[in-house]
Amino acid sequence: MSHDLSHLRLPKRHFHALDLSRLLAAIMVLFWHYQHVFVPPVPYHVHVNRAIQPWYEALSWLYNHGHTAVQYFWAVSGFVFAHVYLADANYKARFWPARIARLWPLHLLTLGLMAILQGIYVARTGTEFIYHTNDLKHFLLSIPLMQYWGWQDNQSFNGPSWSLSTEILAYLVFFLTIPALRRAPLALALPLGALLLWATLKGAPNKDVLSCIGYFMLGCAAYGATLKGWLRPATLLPLGMALLASAFMLKANYRSGDAATIAGTFAVLFLTLALDLNDEKGRLKFGQKLGDASYGIYLWHIPIQLTLVLIIDAMGLTRDIARQPWFLILFVTLAIAAGFISHAKFERPAQRAVFALWARWKARGSEAS
């Protein structure tokens, strides 16, 4: 294989519309999880009548389908990772340090915070808030993000981190297949991703892990198709619209909605990619900084929600206060603000610290040898 890998990287350096879409996807999850506030302190799952939530008629799609943003995150990750690493000659040295620096500092901080907040909630109510599987086993598995690999009893502690846990396995599959992906990105990623998603539709065990890897690999396949010139604005727009129409049709005809989520995910990915490839003058450059907040929003919103619930309970107020539009605005505003502040004041400095530690450790290793 030639050492020149430049043919594996699109000339466009950043995909700003995709960055912006990650922020919007993180905000979607806020609306899906808003229903948690109405769940009383009981040791089991409660179905909330979502129609009681503020501005339900206008926001019903977000309240009912906001969780599908997780699958979109996975697909975007596959596309972006292919863009960053397929043409990186030094990927072996960079890949895992970059993942550790990006994911773990905030994950460990919010994991510890949720353990404390859940302890306070249990002391006050006798049961946990939403995520009831908060034992030592799940805490220890959560530290290396191994808590959702198939041996879990349920989501635990900072619940949304389950999707990071499955994504670690997608990263591993991607890392191991990079040499083969370089030879045939589309020919490998497309059948592998399609096979895994087909298996999840057929009810294969451990479907969350399989579907995560499937979405990720189909994201890589989309990158491969873009490299070949098959996915360009002229084809992306009609393809995206056709997938969007099929998503609504599938949702109407199949109760589970998994097939609709697959079609809808790639419809949005293709339409967003069309925006990016059309944006030759960089008008969407602002999207990059906005997208940076998505990880913080995703991991901070449950600790913020539990803190608000503890305050409501401590003040002797009823949870029905969350029916008020101002409470929804408060929750969403706090979560988005936390995402931006966290990225600037914690995540970036933590990344630099991890890279510095890694460089020092490598330097010591080379001195010893």
Side-chain angles (χ1 to χ4, degrees):
M1 188 176 76
S2 166
H3 288 295
D4 181 21
L5 301 169
S6 57
H7 64 289
L8 292 170
R9 179 165 290 159
L10 290 168
K12 193 172 186 68
R13 178 142 187 223
H14 290 292
F15 291 85
H16 301 304
L18 284 180
D19 285 332
L20 180 58
S21 73
R22 280 171 37 234
L23 171 73
L24 299 176
I27 293 170
M28 275 176 64
V29 177
L30 302 181
F31 286 91
W32 167 248
H33 282 154
Y34 189 71
Q35 60 187 295
H36 290 171
V37 183
F38 298 98
V39 176
V42 287
Y44 50 84
H45 181 72
V46 172
H47 286 285
V48 172
N49 173 17
R50 296 187 202 125
I52 67 174
Q53 298 177 113
W55 296 313
Y56 180 77
E57 284 186 16
L59 301 174
S60 61
W61 193 89
L62 292 172
Y63 284 133
N64 294 322
H65 304 293
H67 60 291
T68 58
V70 169
Q71 284 75 23
Y72 181 72
F73 279 131
W74 292 336
V76 170
S77 291
F79 185 93
V80 171
F81 274 54
H83 178 58
V84 171
Y85 289 108
L86 288 187
D88 183 358
N90 297 314
Y91 78 93
K92 285 183 181 175
R94 293 178 186 165
F95 188 86
W96 290 110
R99 301 284 58 74
I100 291 165
R102 181 72 187 104
L103 297 182
W104 263 271
L106 185 60
H107 161 62
L108 294 176
L109 176 64
T110 52
L111 171 65
L113 182 59
M114 275 304 290
I116 294 166
L117 290 171
Q118 285 283 24
I120 296 168
Y121 191 80
V122 169
R124 288 189 182 175
T125 66
T127 188
E128 291 92 344
F129 178 72
I130 308 301
Y131 307 110
H132 296 280
T133 320
N134 299 323
D135 53 20
L136 182 61
K137 168 192 160 183
H138 285 82
F139 186 82
L140 293 175
L141 286 172
S142 293
I143 291 170
L145 279 172
M146 292 165 57
Q147 77 273 25
Y148 222 76
W149 289 6
W151 39 48
Q152 73 280 354
D153 298 323
N154 211 322
Q155 293 178 29
S156 54
F157 295 99
N158 195 8
S161 66
W162 76 267
S163 68
L164 304 177
S165 176
T166 58
E167 200 163 341
I168 295 297
L169 293 176
Y171 295 161
L172 180 61
V173 170
F174 174 74
F175 181 78
L176 293 174
T177 55
I178 282 178
L181 283 168
R182 282 175 167 170
R183 285 192 289 275
L186 190 57
L188 173 64
L190 183 60
L192 178 56
L195 177 68
L196 289 170
L197 290 186
W198 178 82
T200 65
L201 291 176
K202 291 295 177 185
N206 214 2
K207 64 175 263 185
D208 291 313
V209 168
L210 296 181
S211 68
C212 175
I213 300 169
Y215 277 102
F216 192 97
M217 294 314 290
L218 284 187
C220 293
Y223 189 80
T226 311
L227 278 175
K228 283 184 175 289
W230 295 352
L231 292 183
R232 52 188 192 278
T235 49
L236 284 164
L237 282 168
L239 191 55
M241 295 307 291
L243 280 170
L244 202 56
S246 65
F248 283 104
M249 188 190 73
L250 287 163
K251 182 63 182 167
N253 290 291
Y254 295 95
R255 216 171 131 216
S256 81
D258 287 343
T261 301
I262 295 168
T265 294
F266 289 97
V268 176
L269 180 66
F270 290 166
L271 293 171
T272 308
L273 188 54
L275 275 176
D276 258 322
L277 296 177
N278 254 334
D279 184 34
E280 291 172 7
K281 294 184 178 175
R283 290 194 183 97
L284 296 170
K285 196 173 180 183
F286 66 92
Q288 186 180 350
K289 286 206 182 305
L290 295 180
D292 285 341
S294 59
Y295 184 56
I297 292 169
Y298 190 68
L299 283 191
W300 277 112
H301 76 276
I302 296 296
I304 287 169
Q305 188 174 55
L306 179 46
T307 301
L308 289 173
V309 166
L310 286 167
I311 292 168
I312 290 169
D313 291 356
M315 293 175 71
L317 300 170
T318 169
R319 302 276 183 94
D320 276 353
I321 197 170
R323 291 189 186 204
Q324 301 298 321
W326 68 262
F327 194 89
L328 171 68
I329 293 168
L330 174 68
F331 170 60
V332 171
T333 303
L334 286 173
I336 293 172
F340 283 103
I341 294 166
S342 171
H343 185 261
K345 302 297 181 186
F346 179 76
E347 294 165 55
R348 291 300 294 274
Q351 275 180 287
R352 288 193 290 270
V354 170
F355 283 131
L357 278 170
W358 184 265
R360 231 178 299 163
W361 182 74
K362 276 187 74 180
R364 269 191 207 155
S366 58
E367 279 170 23
S369 58

